[in-house]
Amino acid sequence: MAKREIALFGGTFDPIHLGHTTVAADAAKHIGAEKIVFIPAKRSPLKDLFPEASDDDRLAMIALAIAGEKSFQLSDYELKKPKPSYTLETIRQFQADYGSRTLIYWLVGADSINELPRWYRIAELIDECNLCIMFRAGFEPPDFAKFEAIWPSRRIEKLQRNVIQTPLINISSAEIRNRLATGRDVTNMLHPSVADYIHKHGLYQSKVKP
Ligand code: ATP
């Protein structure tokens, strides 16, 4: 039986924006993945910040943004867990569900590269799946030479082979939240149905947390 390729795309998606869906579609093409699974995170183990929208709102916005893209799927796996899931745990669960003939790819933007050494059991993660670093507007193209002191060359070469030169889309969720909180336009950054949802539910109106 031929191998299958599945790409997993984790993040807070607070909210999901056109940058996410554009690079995900490009990465899927590059990998030859039959699907991309969007996996919203409960809360980053590295950032001491709660997402500003509720889990249900973030799920609903992702569902709206990916509707119509047959190869895009949504998983609430991490949100259903009692505690935040480490990426390695999520990857292992998906690998177990899909079986050993499926190659798992995990997508990350280039803004995360400096944090990699702090990820939970990162060496195992790199060795067990295909960690793909995607280009991101405003950040240097991924370069792993700085990790030569901590990782063997085969690990660094694997990371370098899995770099994906995705289109540079200068959008971030933080910028969208800031713009909405100060009454500015975000039309070109969001899927129209996500923009409608945000307006209808009054999300991100104020920076003051309840
Ligand atoms: P925030 O501004 O709140 O930090 P974000 O826009 O970076 O959010 P996340 O939900 O944190 O969005 O991102 C999920 C994943 O998508 C991360 O790996 C991030 O690097 C990547 N990503 C987000 N926006 C882009 C983009 N415009 N181009 C490439 N990768 C992106």
Side-chain angles (χ1 to χ4, degrees), residues 14-51:
D14 190 20
I16 187 165
H17 53 67
L18 290 171
H20 293 126
T21 46
T22 306
V23 297
D26 187 80
K29 221 165 42 182
H30 178 91
I31 293 165
E34 64 181 61
K35 64 175 148 184
I36 301 260
V37 187
F38 289 74
I39 309 175
K42 218 181 181 56
R43 188 184 165 206
S44 166
L46 297 180
K47 290 186 206 163
D48 194 22
L49 292 168
F50 284 98

Side-chain angles (χ1 to χ4, degrees), residues 9-24 39-41 47 49 58 106-113 119 132-137 139 166-177:
F9 193 20
T12 40
F13 301 113
D14 190 20
I16 187 165
H17 53 67
L18 290 171
H20 293 126
T21 46
T22 306
V23 297
I39 309 175
K47 290 186 206 163
L49 292 168
R58 289 185 297 129
W106 185 273
L107 307 178
V108 180
D111 52 297
S112 303
I113 197 166
W119 281 27
C132 295
I133 313 288
M134 305 181 292
F135 275 46
R136 183 162 186 180
F139 294 86
T166 41
L168 298 175
I169 314 288
N170 196 5
I171 304 177
S172 72
S173 299
E175 171 75 8
I176 291 169
R177 293 193 300 271

Side-chain angles (χ1 to χ4, degrees), residues 8 37-42 55 59 74-97 106:
L8 308 180
V37 187
F38 289 74
I39 309 175
K42 218 181 181 56
D55 292 354
L59 273 172
L74 171 57
S75 166
D76 61 358
Y77 170 75
E78 290 199 358
L79 295 181
K80 279 195 322 220
K81 295 196 89 174
K83 281 199 288 183
S85 179
Y86 288 111
T87 302
L88 182 63
E89 292 169 355
T90 302
I91 289 167
R92 285 183 173 163
Q93 186 59 56
F94 275 77
Q95 188 73 75
D97 291 347
W106 185 273

